[in-house]
Amino acid sequence: MSTPAIPFKYMPSPLFTDPYADAWTVPFWEATMREQLTAPKCTNCGKFRLPPSRWCAQCHMQDLEYVDLPGTGTLYSFIIVRHALTPDQKDYVPYIPAVVDADGAPGCRFVSNIVDVEPEDVKVGMPVKVVWNRVSETLTLPFWTAA
Amino acid sequence: MKDKAAIVGIGQTERYRRGASLPKSMMDMAIEATLKALDDAGLTVNDLDGFAFYGGAPADPGSMAYLLGVPHVKFAATLTAGGSGAAGSVGMAAAVINAGLANVCVSLFVLQQVPTGRFGGSSEGPRRLPSAGGGGAYGGSTNVSPEAAFVSPASIMSPGHNFSMLTQRHMYQYGTKREHFAEVCISQRNNAMKRPQSVRQTPLTLEDYFAARMISDPLCLFDYTMEDDGAIAVITTSVDRARDLPHPPVLISGSGIGGTGNNAHLLGNFQMPDLSFASAGARDVAKQMYAMAEVGPQDVDVALLYDHFSPMVLMQLEDFQFCPVGESGPFVAEGNIRYGTGSIPVNTHGGNLSDFYCPGMTHIVEGVEQIRGTAINQVEGAEIALVTGGPSSIPMTGTILKKDR
């Protein structure tokens, strides 16, 4: 296994290189391999839910469909990790964990990182867009940057 | 269960800095604190028959009963979640006693912060282990659940990171500033400085605060709780029995142990509703607790609010209705939480931030001492104290302590 590429400034150390998925989440990770952002939606009532829990809290049905999203959104909140909590993170600070409201999937949020933006320029409410990092042959991760 | 049970004893070990309690074991300290609390209550292990714990305590009631020689254990249970259960553990004890399940309950917490096990420390998270399980592209082999895989890549590794995320949103929505967090830290340090037993005694100025290193912006070193070692126990029994014991009974007047269901992601996935994202997740608990105790925030004389991170004190001031939602920053800036001069003195002992970190237990002890009238920073005429557990996963907890008639 080779060390995953870090193509973006302020991207944290990748924690894993294979997707961890089950029947409910495989479609999401397959779409990421095509660099397509999707979100799970209840086939019965239409409520989006992230992470893709096995039950819809609104109608108590289990079936999901994955809907293609445009890959744009709004930064809901973020932090700037400046102090590495573990030794292997020392080379990766600062990094910027973020919560993003994605366009096209109302009511659910993506938890990811802001990359390629100087920390002092990151603002809640800023428009963001997804960028992709092929971590390994089996895993492509979405990150977000300024739109 | 209103006013039917009372806290009658408190016991503490020596207070140690992180890791300094070795070679004592955690069980050593749990036993020591329990014996001291029973002694303070004028009771013995023969009276003890209940264990009402939280957050794993982390001490096993069975082992404790064996080592203490408790003859009959009638109740033993632990509230789930972490420090959030602190205030609720005595609420659970009161419920248990009121239901007749047990007569004398101990609630306690013990900490020993060694490198292999720090409470609330960072989780290193899954490492690069794709080859370990051989499960193929979707096999998975380690501790990443399919749901966690949607969050883990962000490297949000500790509670401090989670609460920084809530804080940033609070700043955006309401204009809250770092000066407001500093006021919490400085006010509590001032309280701790008057108490010889408090661990943090050096003065803290606004300049010190802004000179501190940032850990997870917007939170700096002083916004984070300290980490210490030690154990604290409290004893609860029925109010009738309490009136025959040495100390004035401290009534458990109301308690809430729960939370708003759709706010359950406070420490995980950040899917909380927009209206409660930047909150302590305690609004339902506050309503339930106040209703049970038949009091309101205007009746509370002293508020002991769990302070793992200073902005969460602000959000609790809102959730427990001391000020409107979004206005906690200006509220503290006006001096309202200061001991001696403020409208609602907060963490008169110094809290987790400056007194001692034994997740939430010092808040209960301070509540008891305020109602007994023996606190060092005594609020004159204090009759009602609010004690809360740490904003965290459900259950979030709060308890009203009250002076006996």
Side-chain angles (χ1 to χ4, degrees), chain A residues 1 13-15 17 19-21 30 50 53 76-80 82-83 86 88 95 108-109 111-113 124, chain B residues 124 126-128 130 137-138 140-142 146 152 154-155 164-165 168-169 172 213 215-217 270-272 274:
Chain A
M1 169 195 144
S13 164
L15 291 170
T17 51
Y20 292 93
E30 288 182 342
L50 266 176
S53 56
Y76 189 80
S77 194
F78 70 98
I79 69 174
I80 304 165
R82 296 191 182 273
H83 175 77
T86 54
D88 67 329
Y95 66 91
C108 66
R109 307 190 186 105
V111 180
S112 182
N113 302 87
V124 175
Chain B
E124 289 201 38
R127 304 279 54 143
R128 302 183 190 89
Y138 301 117
S141 58
T142 62
S152 295
S155 289
S164 296
M165 196 73 80
Q168 185 83 262
R169 186 70 194 177
Y172 170 79
R213 64 189 159 99
I215 306 293
S216 52
D217 197 334
F270 301 105
Q271 305 295 324
M272 301 87 83
D274 200 39

Side-chain angles (χ1 to χ4, degrees), chain A residues 14-27:
Chain A
L15 291 170
F16 52 86
T17 51
D18 268 357
Y20 292 93
D22 61 13
W24 265 259
T25 65
V26 160

Side-chain angles (χ1 to χ4, degrees), chain A residues 14-145:
Chain A
L15 291 170
F16 52 86
T17 51
D18 268 357
Y20 292 93
D22 61 13
W24 265 259
T25 65
V26 160
F28 179 86
W29 296 107
E30 288 182 342
T32 63
M33 296 301 285
R34 304 190 307 270
E35 302 194 348
Q36 173 63 54
L37 192 70
T38 62
K41 182 181 179 183
C42 177
T43 51
N44 184 56
C45 75
K47 182 180 168 65
F48 283 94
R49 58 189 203 257
L50 266 176
S53 56
R54 289 187 165 218
W55 292 91
C56 175
Q58 188 163 279
C59 73
H60 304 144
M61 301 300 278
Q62 290 197 269
D63 287 348
L64 283 175
E65 61 182 320
Y66 278 82
V67 178
D68 284 356
L69 302 181
T72 55
T74 305
L75 182 57
Y76 189 80
S77 194
F78 70 98
I79 69 174
I80 304 165
V81 177
R82 296 191 182 273
H83 175 77
L85 293 184
T86 54
D88 67 329
Q89 296 278 335
K90 282 207 169 85
D91 295 335
Y92 295 92
V93 290
Y95 66 91
I96 311 166
V99 177
V100 172
D101 270 339
D103 294 337
C108 66
R109 307 190 186 105
F110 284 89
V111 180
S112 182
N113 302 87
I114 298 295
V115 295
D116 276 351
V117 183
E118 293 307 308
E120 54 271 25
D121 295 333
V122 180
K123 307 285 179 208
V124 175
M126 71 190 276
V128 290
K129 64 181 179 189
V130 73
V131 288
W132 298 97
N133 178 23
R134 192 168 185 112
V135 174
S136 74
E137 287 180 6
T138 56
L139 179 65
T140 296
L141 286 176
F143 291 92
W144 298 81
T145 192

Side-chain angles (χ1 to χ4, degrees), chain B residues 352-365:
Chain B
N352 292 328
L353 295 173
S354 282
D355 175 46
F356 180 62
Y357 181 58
C358 187
M361 286 308 297
T362 63
H363 300 71
I364 298 173
V365 168

